[in-house]
Amino acid sequence: MTRRPAMFERMGPKFASAFGNVDAVFTIAGVAQPAVRAILRVWRETDLAEEQDQAVEGTTHLLAVPASKAPGLTSQRDSVTIDGATYQVINIDDDARAMLRISLSGDI
Protein backbone atom coordinates (compact mmCIF):
# COMPACT_ATOMS: atom_id res chain seq x y z
CA MET A 1 0.00 0.00 0.00
CA THR A 2 1.35 3.39 -0.99
CA ARG A 3 1.17 6.23 1.51
CA ARG A 4 0.47 8.66 -1.33
CA PRO A 5 -2.99 8.72 -2.97
CA ALA A 6 -2.77 7.61 -6.63
CA MET A 7 -4.23 10.90 -7.85
CA PHE A 8 -1.30 12.80 -6.33
CA GLU A 9 1.37 10.36 -7.55
CA ARG A 10 0.59 11.30 -11.15
CA MET A 11 0.51 15.04 -10.43
CA GLY A 12 4.18 15.42 -9.39
CA PRO A 13 5.82 14.78 -12.77
CA LYS A 14 3.18 16.88 -14.57
CA PHE A 15 3.62 19.75 -12.12
CA ALA A 16 7.42 19.65 -12.49
CA SER A 17 7.27 19.55 -16.30
CA ALA A 18 4.89 22.53 -16.38
CA PHE A 19 6.65 24.72 -13.80
CA GLY A 20 10.17 23.29 -13.65
CA ASN A 21 13.00 25.76 -14.14
CA VAL A 22 16.09 23.55 -13.64
CA ASP A 23 17.36 20.08 -14.45
CA ALA A 24 18.66 18.38 -11.30
CA VAL A 25 20.96 15.36 -11.05
CA PHE A 26 20.73 13.70 -7.65
CA THR A 27 23.57 11.63 -6.22
CA ILE A 28 21.91 9.11 -3.92
CA ALA A 29 24.14 6.84 -1.81
CA GLY A 30 27.08 7.79 -4.04
CA VAL A 31 25.34 6.92 -7.33
CA ALA A 32 24.37 9.65 -9.82
CA GLN A 33 20.77 9.37 -10.99
CA PRO A 34 19.26 10.46 -14.34
CA ALA A 35 18.42 14.17 -14.58
CA VAL A 36 14.94 15.22 -13.46
CA ARG A 37 13.03 18.44 -13.98
CA ALA A 38 12.65 20.39 -10.74
CA ILE A 39 11.47 23.74 -9.43
CA LEU A 40 14.13 25.89 -7.77
CA ARG A 41 13.01 28.77 -5.56
CA VAL A 42 15.42 31.26 -4.01
CA TRP A 43 14.37 34.02 -1.68
CA ARG A 44 16.23 36.51 0.47
CA GLU A 45 15.31 37.78 3.91
CA THR A 46 16.81 40.80 5.63
CA ASP A 47 16.72 41.41 9.36
CA LEU A 48 18.60 43.62 11.80
CA ALA A 49 21.23 42.05 14.02
CA GLU A 50 20.36 43.01 17.60
CA GLU A 51 23.85 43.83 18.84
CA GLN A 52 25.06 46.04 15.99
CA ASP A 53 21.79 47.28 14.39
CA GLN A 54 23.22 46.12 11.10
CA ALA A 55 21.23 44.44 8.34
CA VAL A 56 21.82 40.70 8.00
CA GLU A 57 20.70 38.98 4.84
CA GLY A 58 19.89 35.29 4.58
CA THR A 59 19.15 33.30 1.46
CA THR A 60 16.95 30.21 1.34
CA HIS A 61 17.21 27.67 -1.50
CA LEU A 62 14.31 25.26 -1.90
CA LEU A 63 14.10 22.60 -4.61
CA ALA A 64 10.80 20.85 -5.36
CA VAL A 65 10.90 17.52 -7.18
CA PRO A 66 8.30 14.78 -7.79
CA ALA A 67 8.58 12.24 -4.97
CA SER A 68 8.69 9.39 -7.49
CA LYS A 69 11.83 10.84 -9.12
CA ALA A 70 14.11 10.73 -6.05
CA PRO A 71 13.48 7.45 -4.18
CA GLY A 72 15.88 6.86 -1.32
CA LEU A 73 17.03 10.50 -1.08
CA THR A 74 18.44 11.15 2.41
CA SER A 75 19.25 14.42 4.20
CA GLN A 76 22.87 15.07 5.17
CA ARG A 77 24.13 12.26 2.91
CA ASP A 78 23.04 12.98 -0.64
CA SER A 79 23.63 15.87 -3.02
CA VAL A 80 22.18 17.45 -6.14
CA THR A 81 23.91 19.01 -9.13
CA ILE A 82 22.25 21.99 -10.83
CA ASP A 83 23.91 23.74 -13.78
CA GLY A 84 27.24 22.07 -13.02
CA ALA A 85 27.37 23.07 -9.33
CA THR A 86 26.82 20.53 -6.53
CA TYR A 87 24.88 21.25 -3.33
CA GLN A 88 24.29 19.16 -0.21
CA VAL A 89 20.76 18.13 0.68
CA ILE A 90 20.22 19.45 4.21
CA ASN A 91 16.52 18.73 4.73
CA ILE A 92 13.71 16.90 2.93
CA ASP A 93 10.05 17.69 3.52
CA ASP A 94 7.61 15.25 1.92
CA ASP A 95 4.23 16.91 1.38
CA ALA A 96 2.60 13.40 1.24
CA ARG A 97 0.93 14.40 -1.99
CA ALA A 98 3.09 14.86 -5.07
CA MET A 99 6.34 16.62 -4.24
CA LEU A 100 9.45 16.59 -2.06
CA ARG A 101 10.63 20.01 -0.89
CA ILE A 102 14.38 19.88 -0.48
CA SER A 103 16.45 22.50 1.35
CA LEU A 104 19.92 22.96 -0.12
CA SER A 105 23.13 24.28 1.39
CA GLY A 106 25.59 26.42 -0.51
CA ASP A 107 25.34 29.56 -2.59
CA ILE A 108 23.40 29.07 -5.79
Side-chain angles (χ1 to χ4, degrees):
M1 182 166 119
T2 181
R3 68 180 264 230
R4 208 175 294 284
M7 177 179 81
F8 293 123
E9 283 183 6
R10 293 186 302 271
M11 287 177 64
K14 291 178 182 180
F15 191 74
S17 68
F19 299 106
N21 57 357
V22 295
D23 290 316
V25 176
F26 289 96
T27 300
I28 300 174
V31 178
Q33 307 298 309
V36 298
R37 196 70 178 155
I39 303 163
L40 178 65
R41 298 180 206 137
V42 179
W43 65 91
R44 297 179 190 273
E45 297 175 282
T46 304
D47 201 358
L48 289 178
E50 292 183 26
E51 293 87 28
Q52 294 95 12
D53 289 330
Q54 185 173 7
V56 176
E57 185 176 282
T59 304
T60 302
H61 304 91
L62 188 66
L63 186 68
V65 64
S68 61
K69 299 294 183 179
L73 187 67
T74 302
S75 297
Q76 309 297 320
R77 177 193 72 182
D78 298 328
S79 62
V80 61
T81 301
I82 301 169
D83 293 332
T86 302
Y87 308 97
Q88 285 300 119
V89 172
I90 58 174
N91 190 33
I92 303 168
D93 181 31
D94 188 339
D95 70 4
R97 293 183 190 97
M99 304 294 278
L100 297 176
R101 290 183 299 252
I102 304 162
S103 299
L104 304 176
S105 68
D107 189 19
I108 297 179

XYZ file of all heavy atoms in Angstrom:
817
model
N 0.842 -1.181 0.000
C 0.000 0.000 0.000
C 0.885 1.240 0.000
O 1.798 1.376 0.790
C -0.891 -0.018 1.230
C -1.834 1.156 1.279
S -3.101 0.871 2.513
C -2.763 2.228 3.587
N 0.614 2.144 -0.909
C 1.353 3.391 -0.992
C 0.790 4.401 0.013
O -0.402 4.406 0.276
C 1.321 3.956 -2.423
O 2.076 5.151 -2.451
C -0.079 4.257 -2.895
N 1.661 5.232 0.569
C 1.171 6.233 1.514
C 0.672 7.473 0.799
O 0.147 8.387 1.385
C 2.249 6.581 2.526
C 3.424 7.328 1.959
C 4.412 7.623 3.046
N 4.184 8.946 3.548
C 5.109 9.863 3.698
N 6.346 9.598 3.404
N 4.833 11.040 4.159
N 0.848 7.522 -0.505
C 0.473 8.660 -1.327
C -0.749 8.279 -2.171
O -0.711 7.299 -2.888
C 1.652 8.961 -2.239
C 1.828 10.339 -2.690
C 3.122 10.467 -3.485
N 4.334 10.256 -2.725
C 4.866 11.117 -1.882
N 4.276 12.262 -1.662
N 5.975 10.859 -1.250
N -1.845 9.049 -2.127
C -2.990 8.721 -2.975
C -2.589 8.719 -4.452
O -1.792 9.548 -4.894
C -3.987 9.845 -2.686
C -3.593 10.336 -1.323
C -2.107 10.182 -1.246
N -3.135 7.776 -5.220
C -2.767 7.608 -6.629
C -2.952 8.890 -7.426
O -2.159 9.205 -8.311
C -3.583 6.474 -7.238
N -3.990 9.655 -7.123
C -4.232 10.904 -7.845
C -3.031 11.840 -7.730
O -2.620 12.478 -8.685
C -5.479 11.582 -7.281
C -5.770 12.933 -7.917
S -7.250 13.689 -7.259
C -6.602 14.396 -5.753
N -2.429 11.906 -6.546
C -1.303 12.800 -6.328
C -0.010 12.258 -6.930
O 0.845 13.030 -7.349
C -1.112 13.071 -4.845
C -2.240 13.858 -4.236
C -2.934 13.356 -3.157
C -2.603 15.093 -4.744
C -3.968 14.080 -2.589
C -3.636 15.824 -4.190
C -4.326 15.315 -3.110
N 0.157 10.950 -6.974
C 1.370 10.362 -7.546
C 1.576 10.802 -8.990
O 2.686 11.036 -9.423
C 1.312 8.834 -7.481
C 1.599 8.276 -6.123
C 1.612 6.762 -6.114
O 1.514 6.136 -7.197
O 1.725 6.196 -5.029
N 0.494 10.904 -9.738
C 0.587 11.304 -11.147
C 0.779 12.805 -11.314
O 1.239 13.257 -12.357
C -0.664 10.842 -11.888
C -0.767 9.333 -11.991
C -1.942 8.899 -12.844
N -3.233 9.385 -12.361
C -4.005 8.750 -11.483
N -3.615 7.606 -10.981
N -5.162 9.255 -11.120
N 0.424 13.585 -10.316
C 0.514 15.039 -10.427
C 1.948 15.566 -10.355
O 2.265 16.567 -10.996
C -0.311 15.707 -9.317
C -1.791 15.603 -9.525
S -2.723 16.313 -8.150
C -2.243 18.020 -8.250
N 2.825 14.920 -9.581
C 4.183 15.421 -9.386
C 4.955 15.631 -10.671
O 5.432 16.741 -10.941
N 5.091 14.598 -11.514
C 5.823 14.783 -12.766
C 5.183 15.821 -13.694
O 5.879 16.583 -14.354
C 5.811 13.395 -13.403
C 5.655 12.463 -12.242
C 4.771 13.192 -11.273
N 3.859 15.890 -13.722
C 3.185 16.878 -14.566
C 3.416 18.292 -14.044
O 3.641 19.221 -14.811
C 1.689 16.569 -14.643
C 1.398 15.310 -15.419
C -0.063 14.990 -15.460
C -0.276 13.688 -16.211
N -1.657 13.309 -16.303
N 3.381 18.453 -12.745
C 3.620 19.749 -12.123
C 5.048 20.208 -12.408
O 5.279 21.352 -12.793
C 3.361 19.645 -10.615
C 3.323 20.957 -9.906
C 2.239 21.801 -10.039
C 4.376 21.342 -9.097
C 2.200 23.018 -9.379
C 4.349 22.554 -8.433
C 3.259 23.392 -8.575
N 6.015 19.305 -12.258
C 7.419 19.650 -12.492
C 7.675 19.979 -13.961
O 8.447 20.891 -14.272
C 8.329 18.518 -12.036
N 7.041 19.256 -14.875
C 7.272 19.554 -16.298
C 6.647 20.886 -16.690
O 7.173 21.589 -17.543
C 6.755 18.424 -17.181
O 5.354 18.351 -17.137
N 5.540 21.257 -16.060
C 4.888 22.526 -16.380
C 5.599 23.724 -15.761
O 5.718 24.771 -16.391
C 3.439 22.491 -15.906
N 6.080 23.580 -14.522
C 6.649 24.719 -13.803
C 8.142 24.605 -13.534
O 8.737 25.507 -12.959
C 5.908 24.914 -12.468
C 4.452 25.206 -12.645
C 3.503 24.233 -12.366
C 4.028 26.432 -13.111
C 2.150 24.485 -12.535
C 2.677 26.701 -13.288
C 1.734 25.722 -13.001
N 8.753 23.500 -13.924
C 10.172 23.289 -13.653
C 11.051 24.335 -14.318
O 10.806 24.748 -15.445
N 12.091 24.752 -13.594
C 12.997 25.761 -14.138
C 14.457 25.310 -14.116
O 15.334 26.066 -14.521
C 12.830 27.094 -13.406
C 13.047 26.991 -11.919
O 13.282 25.919 -11.380
N 12.971 28.117 -11.243
N 14.728 24.088 -13.635
C 16.089 23.545 -13.638
C 16.041 22.040 -13.888
O 15.024 21.389 -13.661
C 16.833 23.796 -12.295
C 17.055 25.274 -12.043
C 16.120 23.146 -11.135
N 17.173 21.526 -14.367
C 17.359 20.079 -14.446
C 18.303 19.703 -13.314
O 19.373 20.298 -13.176
C 17.947 19.668 -15.801
C 16.939 19.847 -16.924
O 15.765 19.466 -16.728
O 17.315 20.372 -17.982
N 17.894 18.759 -12.489
C 18.662 18.379 -11.304
C 19.128 16.933 -11.428
O 18.361 16.058 -11.823
C 17.798 18.536 -10.053
N 20.401 16.712 -11.076
C 20.965 15.359 -11.054
C 21.273 15.031 -9.594
O 22.155 15.640 -8.992
C 22.241 15.265 -11.913
C 22.854 13.878 -11.792
C 21.932 15.592 -13.361
N 20.525 14.098 -9.041
C 20.732 13.696 -7.654
C 21.802 12.622 -7.568
O 21.864 11.735 -8.425
C 19.433 13.157 -7.038
C 18.416 14.223 -6.797
C 17.411 14.463 -7.712
C 18.474 14.999 -5.657
C 16.474 15.445 -7.496
C 17.540 15.998 -5.430
C 16.536 16.222 -6.353
N 22.630 12.694 -6.548
C 23.569 11.630 -6.222
C 23.049 11.009 -4.930
O 23.074 11.650 -3.872
C 24.996 12.163 -6.050
O 25.386 12.777 -7.287
C 25.960 11.039 -5.720
N 22.537 9.795 -5.048
C 21.912 9.108 -3.919
C 22.778 7.917 -3.548
O 23.028 7.047 -4.379
C 20.480 8.664 -4.270
C 19.638 9.902 -4.626
C 19.855 7.873 -3.123
C 18.249 9.584 -5.125
N 23.255 7.897 -2.312
C 24.137 6.841 -1.812
C 25.367 6.677 -2.713
O 25.810 5.569 -2.982
C 23.391 5.525 -1.656
N 25.877 7.802 -3.223
C 27.079 7.787 -4.039
C 26.872 7.471 -5.504
O 27.828 7.419 -6.267
N 25.625 7.278 -5.936
C 25.336 6.922 -7.326
C 24.540 8.048 -7.987
O 23.457 8.408 -7.519
C 24.533 5.603 -7.401
C 24.197 5.256 -8.838
C 25.289 4.479 -6.715
N 25.072 8.601 -9.083
C 24.374 9.654 -9.820
C 23.139 9.070 -10.510
O 23.196 8.004 -11.112
C 25.300 10.292 -10.834
N 22.034 9.786 -10.400
C 20.767 9.371 -10.989
C 20.538 10.137 -12.288
O 21.184 11.162 -12.534
C 19.624 9.667 -10.008
C 19.819 9.090 -8.620
C 19.890 7.581 -8.628
O 19.036 6.921 -9.197
N 20.915 7.026 -8.002
N 19.603 9.695 -13.127
C 19.263 10.465 -14.335
C 18.711 11.842 -13.957
O 18.100 12.009 -12.897
C 18.184 9.616 -15.014
C 18.344 8.248 -14.446
C 18.874 8.436 -13.061
N 18.908 12.807 -14.828
C 18.423 14.173 -14.577
C 16.899 14.194 -14.501
O 16.216 13.461 -15.222
C 18.903 15.103 -15.676
N 16.383 15.024 -13.602
C 14.942 15.220 -13.461
C 14.644 16.718 -13.487
O 15.463 17.529 -13.083
C 14.388 14.598 -12.151
C 14.592 13.108 -12.126
C 14.996 15.230 -10.928
N 13.467 17.047 -13.970
C 13.030 18.440 -13.984
C 12.575 18.798 -12.576
O 11.890 18.022 -11.903
C 11.883 18.612 -14.981
C 11.616 20.018 -15.360
C 12.738 20.539 -16.219
N 12.450 21.902 -16.626
C 13.378 22.759 -16.952
N 14.645 22.407 -16.951
N 13.058 23.962 -17.316
N 12.974 19.975 -12.099
C 12.648 20.391 -10.742
C 12.351 21.881 -10.722
O 12.620 22.605 -11.681
C 13.812 20.073 -9.808
N 11.817 22.331 -9.610
C 11.468 23.738 -9.432
C 12.377 24.299 -8.344
O 12.331 23.853 -7.201
C 9.996 23.880 -9.013
C 9.088 23.212 -10.053
C 9.633 25.354 -8.827
C 7.693 22.933 -9.556
N 13.215 25.259 -8.716
C 14.129 25.894 -7.772
C 13.572 27.254 -7.384
O 13.253 28.068 -8.247
C 15.518 26.053 -8.385
C 16.558 26.755 -7.509
C 16.860 25.929 -6.255
C 17.828 27.009 -8.296
N 13.462 27.472 -6.082
C 13.010 28.769 -5.559
C 14.113 29.313 -4.660
O 14.660 28.586 -3.832
C 11.729 28.617 -4.753
C 10.584 28.107 -5.565
C 9.331 27.967 -4.715
N 8.511 26.943 -5.336
C 7.880 25.997 -4.684
N 7.948 25.925 -3.397
N 7.160 25.108 -5.327
N 14.410 30.592 -4.828
C 15.415 31.260 -4.012
C 14.787 32.543 -3.500
O 14.232 33.324 -4.272
C 16.674 31.596 -4.839
C 17.699 32.322 -3.991
C 17.273 30.338 -5.437
N 14.838 32.749 -2.205
C 14.368 34.021 -1.681
C 15.307 34.521 -0.604
O 15.983 33.760 0.054
C 12.923 33.980 -1.208
C 12.614 33.104 -0.058
C 12.615 33.440 1.256
C 12.243 31.723 -0.091
N 12.273 32.366 2.026
C 12.040 31.304 1.224
C 12.062 30.809 -1.130
C 11.669 30.011 1.539
C 11.690 29.524 -0.799
C 11.492 29.144 0.513
N 15.336 35.847 -0.474
C 16.232 36.505 0.473
C 15.416 37.182 1.563
O 14.367 37.748 1.297
C 17.092 37.547 -0.230
C 18.004 36.959 -1.259
C 18.823 38.054 -1.943
N 19.526 37.530 -3.087
C 20.727 36.971 -3.046
N 21.355 36.874 -1.902
N 21.290 36.520 -4.128
N 15.939 37.118 2.773
C 15.309 37.782 3.907
C 16.341 38.683 4.563
O 17.508 38.310 4.688
C 14.814 36.751 4.917
C 13.749 35.839 4.351
C 13.362 34.763 5.338
O 14.128 33.802 5.461
O 12.314 34.922 5.963
N 15.914 39.861 4.952
C 16.810 40.796 5.626
C 16.241 41.105 6.995
O 15.043 41.326 7.157
C 16.957 42.099 4.816
O 17.408 41.760 3.508
C 17.938 43.037 5.462
N 17.111 41.111 7.993
C 16.717 41.412 9.365
C 17.848 42.201 10.004
O 18.976 42.194 9.519
C 16.469 40.109 10.129
C 15.592 40.321 11.348
O 15.208 41.473 11.628
O 15.270 39.319 12.005
N 17.559 42.878 11.086
C 18.597 43.621 11.797
C 19.213 42.750 12.881
O 18.502 42.103 13.647
C 18.019 44.890 12.433
C 17.623 46.004 11.484
C 17.019 47.165 12.276
C 18.802 46.487 10.671
N 20.535 42.747 12.939
C 21.233 42.053 14.021
C 21.063 42.898 15.283
O 21.245 44.108 15.256
C 22.703 41.883 13.676
N 20.689 42.267 16.381
C 20.364 43.008 17.598
C 21.535 43.775 18.187
O 21.376 44.895 18.642
C 19.787 42.048 18.642
C 18.435 41.520 18.240
C 17.839 40.636 19.311
O 18.185 40.795 20.488
O 17.022 39.781 18.951
N 22.718 43.189 18.179
C 23.846 43.832 18.841
C 24.369 45.053 18.088
O 24.731 46.042 18.673
C 25.012 42.853 19.046
C 24.722 41.739 20.031
C 24.058 40.547 19.362
O 24.277 40.316 18.165
O 23.293 39.851 20.052
N 24.434 44.976 16.761
C 25.056 46.042 15.990
C 24.065 46.890 15.202
O 24.469 47.832 14.539
C 26.072 45.451 14.991
C 27.255 44.791 15.618
C 27.048 43.294 15.769
O 26.123 42.728 15.218
N 27.897 42.651 16.556
N 22.788 46.571 15.221
C 21.794 47.275 14.393
C 22.228 47.323 12.936
O 22.124 48.341 12.260
C 21.527 48.692 14.914
C 20.746 48.682 16.213
O 19.951 47.749 16.412
O 20.937 49.600 17.019
N 22.762 46.222 12.469
C 23.222 46.117 11.099
C 22.367 45.080 10.372
O 21.995 44.060 10.943
C 24.685 45.697 11.069
C 25.273 45.682 9.691
C 26.773 45.420 9.745
O 27.322 45.133 10.800
N 27.427 45.522 8.613
N 22.059 45.350 9.119
C 21.233 44.438 8.336
C 21.978 43.133 8.071
O 23.158 43.137 7.728
C 20.842 45.080 7.018
N 21.281 42.027 8.276
C 21.822 40.703 7.999
C 20.896 40.055 6.980
O 19.683 40.017 7.171
C 21.892 39.840 9.283
C 22.355 38.433 8.950
C 22.783 40.491 10.305
N 21.492 39.573 5.906
C 20.701 38.979 4.838
C 20.910 37.472 4.812
O 22.035 37.003 4.904
C 21.116 39.582 3.501
C 20.259 39.118 2.350
C 20.637 39.807 1.062
O 20.255 40.968 0.878
O 21.334 39.158 0.254
N 19.822 36.744 4.706
C 19.891 35.294 4.584
C 19.204 34.857 3.304
O 18.231 35.462 2.862
N 19.719 33.811 2.691
C 19.146 33.298 1.459
C 18.695 31.859 1.690
O 19.420 31.066 2.277
C 20.187 33.322 0.318
O 20.672 34.650 0.180
C 19.578 32.878 -0.982
N 17.501 31.556 1.237
C 16.953 30.213 1.342
C 16.820 29.628 -0.055
O 16.324 30.292 -0.967
C 15.575 30.249 2.029
O 15.718 30.846 3.309
C 14.998 28.857 2.171
N 17.293 28.379 -0.219
C 17.205 27.670 -1.496
C 16.330 26.444 -1.293
O 16.648 25.596 -0.459
C 18.591 27.225 -1.962
C 19.561 28.352 -2.064
N 20.370 28.725 -1.033
C 19.825 29.200 -3.073
C 21.112 29.749 -1.407
N 20.801 30.056 -2.632
N 15.245 26.365 -2.036
C 14.310 25.260 -1.904
C 14.083 24.642 -3.280
O 13.757 25.342 -4.234
C 12.988 25.762 -1.323
C 11.965 24.720 -0.936
C 12.471 23.872 0.223
C 10.666 25.397 -0.531
N 14.266 23.336 -3.363
C 14.097 22.598 -4.607
C 12.896 21.679 -4.448
O 12.808 20.926 -3.475
C 15.362 21.777 -4.894
C 15.438 21.060 -6.219
C 15.555 22.053 -7.365
C 16.623 20.103 -6.235
N 11.958 21.741 -5.382
C 10.798 20.851 -5.358
C 10.934 19.860 -6.509
O 11.234 20.240 -7.642
C 9.506 21.648 -5.503
N 10.745 18.589 -6.192
C 10.900 17.523 -7.182
C 9.805 16.478 -6.935
O 9.398 16.265 -5.793
C 12.316 16.902 -7.093
C 12.542 16.219 -5.781
C 12.597 15.968 -8.235
N 9.288 15.848 -7.995
C 8.297 14.784 -7.788
C 8.879 13.689 -6.889
O 10.017 13.256 -7.081
C 8.031 14.255 -9.197
C 8.402 15.378 -10.104
C 9.531 16.081 -9.427
N 8.112 13.255 -5.926
C 8.582 12.239 -4.973
C 9.002 10.953 -5.676
O 9.947 10.289 -5.247
C 7.499 11.956 -3.939
N 8.360 10.626 -6.768
C 8.694 9.388 -7.487
C 10.032 9.469 -8.215
O 10.575 8.449 -8.628
C 7.590 9.068 -8.494
O 7.477 10.111 -9.454
N 10.594 10.666 -8.369
C 11.834 10.837 -9.125
C 13.092 10.812 -8.258
O 14.203 10.854 -8.783
C 11.802 12.158 -9.903
C 10.685 12.242 -10.908
C 10.880 11.245 -12.014
C 9.793 11.386 -13.069
N 9.958 10.457 -14.166
N 12.940 10.752 -6.935
C 14.113 10.732 -6.049
C 13.923 9.722 -4.919
O 14.018 10.065 -3.742
C 14.373 12.122 -5.491
N 13.664 8.445 -5.248
C 13.480 7.453 -4.183
C 14.791 7.214 -3.439
O 15.859 7.152 -4.041
C 13.024 6.206 -4.932
C 13.576 6.370 -6.304
C 13.574 7.853 -6.576
N 14.702 7.140 -2.141
C 15.881 6.864 -1.323
C 16.720 8.080 -0.981
O 17.763 7.954 -0.345
N 16.293 9.274 -1.382
C 17.029 10.497 -1.077
C 17.071 10.705 0.433
O 16.058 10.569 1.113
C 16.362 11.689 -1.750
C 17.089 13.018 -1.675
C 18.388 12.958 -2.473
C 16.202 14.134 -2.199
N 18.254 11.003 0.966
C 18.440 11.146 2.408
C 19.136 12.461 2.731
O 20.129 12.810 2.092
C 19.279 9.970 2.949
O 18.614 8.745 2.637
C 19.475 10.060 4.447
N 18.631 13.171 3.735
C 19.251 14.419 4.199
C 20.634 14.144 4.756
O 20.886 13.080 5.320
C 18.410 15.067 5.305
O 17.147 15.419 4.830
N 21.529 15.108 4.614
C 22.874 15.074 5.170
C 23.780 14.018 4.540
O 24.919 13.872 4.946
C 22.848 14.878 6.696
C 21.952 15.830 7.443
C 22.370 17.282 7.304
O 23.553 17.596 7.323
N 21.398 18.154 7.160
N 23.294 13.257 3.571
C 24.127 12.260 2.906
C 24.220 12.535 1.417
O 25.293 12.453 0.826
C 23.546 10.856 3.122
C 24.343 9.763 2.392
C 23.618 8.446 2.331
N 22.492 8.519 1.392
C 21.663 7.523 1.168
N 21.781 6.386 1.826
N 20.675 7.659 0.313
N 23.109 12.872 0.808
C 23.035 12.976 -0.639
C 23.229 14.410 -1.117
O 23.205 15.355 -0.331
C 21.702 12.409 -1.123
C 21.564 10.934 -0.774
O 22.592 10.233 -0.745
O 20.440 10.482 -0.525
N 23.405 14.549 -2.432
C 23.628 15.868 -3.017
C 22.861 15.981 -4.325
O 22.324 15.001 -4.842
C 25.118 16.103 -3.251
O 25.625 15.151 -4.165
N 22.829 17.193 -4.862
C 22.179 17.450 -6.143
C 23.071 18.395 -6.944
O 23.690 19.298 -6.391
C 20.757 18.032 -5.952
C 20.789 19.352 -5.223
C 20.031 18.153 -7.279
N 23.137 18.156 -8.239
C 23.908 19.013 -9.130
C 22.937 19.774 -10.025
O 22.076 19.170 -10.673
C 24.883 18.183 -9.983
O 25.750 17.463 -9.103
C 25.709 19.067 -10.892
N 23.083 21.106 -10.024
C 22.251 21.993 -10.829
C 23.184 22.893 -11.615
O 24.018 23.582 -11.021
C 21.311 22.841 -9.947
C 20.406 21.934 -9.110
C 20.487 23.799 -10.801
C 19.647 22.657 -8.024
N 23.063 22.900 -12.915
C 23.906 23.740 -13.782
C 25.395 23.575 -13.478
O 26.142 24.547 -13.414
C 23.507 25.212 -13.669
C 22.115 25.476 -14.229
O 21.690 24.733 -15.142
O 21.456 26.426 -13.764
N 25.824 22.352 -13.226
C 27.236 22.065 -13.019
C 27.763 22.303 -11.615
O 28.910 22.006 -11.328
N 26.958 22.841 -10.720
C 27.366 23.072 -9.326
C 26.652 22.078 -8.419
O 25.475 21.785 -8.617
C 27.042 24.496 -8.903
N 27.370 21.550 -7.418
C 26.819 20.528 -6.532
C 26.511 21.120 -5.161
O 27.304 21.874 -4.610
C 27.812 19.361 -6.389
O 28.065 18.833 -7.702
C 27.249 18.255 -5.515
N 25.353 20.753 -4.618
C 24.877 21.254 -3.327
C 24.445 20.085 -2.452
O 23.866 19.120 -2.943
C 23.697 22.204 -3.532
C 24.020 23.282 -4.524
C 23.647 23.164 -5.850
C 24.754 24.393 -4.140
C 23.970 24.130 -6.777
C 25.090 25.370 -5.061
C 24.692 25.232 -6.374
O 25.039 26.187 -7.286
N 24.711 20.183 -1.172
C 24.289 19.159 -0.214
C 22.805 19.294 0.088
O 22.276 20.401 0.170
C 25.068 19.300 1.090
C 26.486 18.804 1.012
C 26.565 17.340 0.642
O 27.139 17.016 -0.379
N 26.006 16.469 1.424
N 22.149 18.166 0.249
C 20.756 18.130 0.683
C 20.779 18.235 2.201
O 21.361 17.382 2.869
C 20.077 16.823 0.230
C 18.696 16.693 0.834
C 20.029 16.749 -1.286
N 20.176 19.303 2.751
C 20.217 19.455 4.207
C 18.900 19.093 4.885
O 18.887 18.795 6.068
C 20.667 20.871 4.636
C 19.767 21.954 4.065
C 22.098 21.099 4.239
C 20.088 23.345 4.580
N 17.803 19.099 4.133
C 16.525 18.727 4.731
C 15.556 18.344 3.618
O 15.571 18.941 2.548
C 15.951 19.884 5.545
C 14.765 19.458 6.370
O 14.704 18.330 6.841
N 13.815 20.354 6.554
N 14.723 17.352 3.892
C 13.713 16.904 2.930
C 12.355 16.931 3.624
O 12.181 16.345 4.688
C 13.995 15.473 2.439
C 15.382 15.396 1.819
C 12.926 15.037 1.442
C 15.851 13.984 1.574
N 11.408 17.624 3.001
C 10.047 17.689 3.518
C 9.127 17.064 2.476
O 9.003 17.575 1.367
C 9.657 19.141 3.794
C 8.260 19.277 4.344
O 7.799 18.356 5.049
O 7.614 20.307 4.070
N 8.524 15.940 2.821
C 7.610 15.246 1.922
C 6.205 15.772 2.185
O 5.698 15.666 3.299
C 7.675 13.742 2.187
C 6.898 12.933 1.182
O 6.001 13.481 0.522
O 7.195 11.738 1.052
N 5.570 16.350 1.172
C 4.230 16.910 1.382
C 3.137 15.838 1.403
O 1.972 16.158 1.591
C 3.925 18.006 0.362
C 3.719 17.494 -1.055
O 3.735 16.266 -1.286
O 3.552 18.343 -1.952
N 3.521 14.555 1.217
C 2.597 13.402 1.238
C 1.562 13.485 0.122
O 0.562 12.792 0.156
C 1.926 13.246 2.594
N 1.811 14.329 -0.831
C 0.931 14.399 -1.991
C 1.744 14.065 -3.228
O 1.778 12.928 -3.652
C 0.288 15.776 -2.083
C -0.666 16.040 -0.945
C -1.328 17.394 -1.108
N -2.055 17.741 0.094
C -1.599 18.518 1.054
N -0.401 19.052 0.947
N -2.315 18.778 2.116
N 2.405 15.086 -3.800
C 3.085 14.860 -5.066
C 4.564 15.207 -5.059
O 5.306 14.712 -5.889
C 2.396 15.681 -6.164
N 5.001 16.058 -4.130
C 6.344 16.617 -4.236
C 7.163 16.456 -2.958
O 6.629 16.354 -1.860
C 6.252 18.120 -4.540
C 5.445 18.485 -5.774
S 6.152 17.922 -7.311
C 7.352 19.179 -7.613
N 8.498 16.451 -3.162
C 9.448 16.585 -2.061
C 9.964 18.012 -2.111
O 10.309 18.519 -3.184
C 10.629 15.629 -2.236
C 10.348 14.139 -2.230
C 11.637 13.369 -2.511
C 9.743 13.711 -0.905
N 10.021 18.680 -0.979
C 10.627 20.007 -0.886
C 11.971 19.812 -0.209
O 12.045 19.352 0.929
C 9.734 20.951 -0.098
C 8.467 21.303 -0.850
C 7.627 22.280 -0.090
N 7.222 21.734 1.194
C 6.003 21.339 1.500
N 5.054 21.433 0.608
N 5.720 20.846 2.684
N 13.020 20.176 -0.920
C 14.384 19.878 -0.484
C 15.127 21.178 -0.221
O 15.274 22.008 -1.121
C 15.114 19.046 -1.556
C 14.300 17.786 -1.861
C 16.524 18.738 -1.147
C 14.667 17.109 -3.153
N 15.628 21.348 1.009
C 16.454 22.503 1.351
C 17.894 22.191 0.985
O 18.384 21.103 1.273
C 16.368 22.811 2.846
O 15.040 23.124 3.191
N 18.559 23.150 0.346
C 19.921 22.957 -0.118
C 20.879 23.875 0.634
O 20.507 24.981 1.011
C 20.029 23.266 -1.614
C 19.095 22.488 -2.526
C 19.242 22.976 -3.953
C 19.346 21.010 -2.430
N 22.108 23.416 0.809
C 23.133 24.277 1.385
C 24.033 24.769 0.264
O 24.105 24.154 -0.797
C 23.970 23.520 2.423
O 24.756 22.537 1.789
N 24.694 25.872 0.494
C 25.588 26.424 -0.508
C 24.988 27.654 -1.134
O 23.829 28.018 -0.895
N 25.765 28.341 -1.940
C 25.341 29.560 -2.588
C 25.052 29.250 -4.044
O 25.938 28.883 -4.796
C 26.423 30.627 -2.472
C 25.949 31.971 -2.936
O 24.709 32.180 -3.009
O 26.789 32.826 -3.243
N 23.814 29.386 -4.420
C 23.402 29.068 -5.791
C 23.456 30.322 -6.629
O 22.960 31.338 -6.265
C 21.986 28.462 -5.821
C 22.014 27.139 -5.057
C 21.484 28.280 -7.216
C 20.697 26.430 -4.965
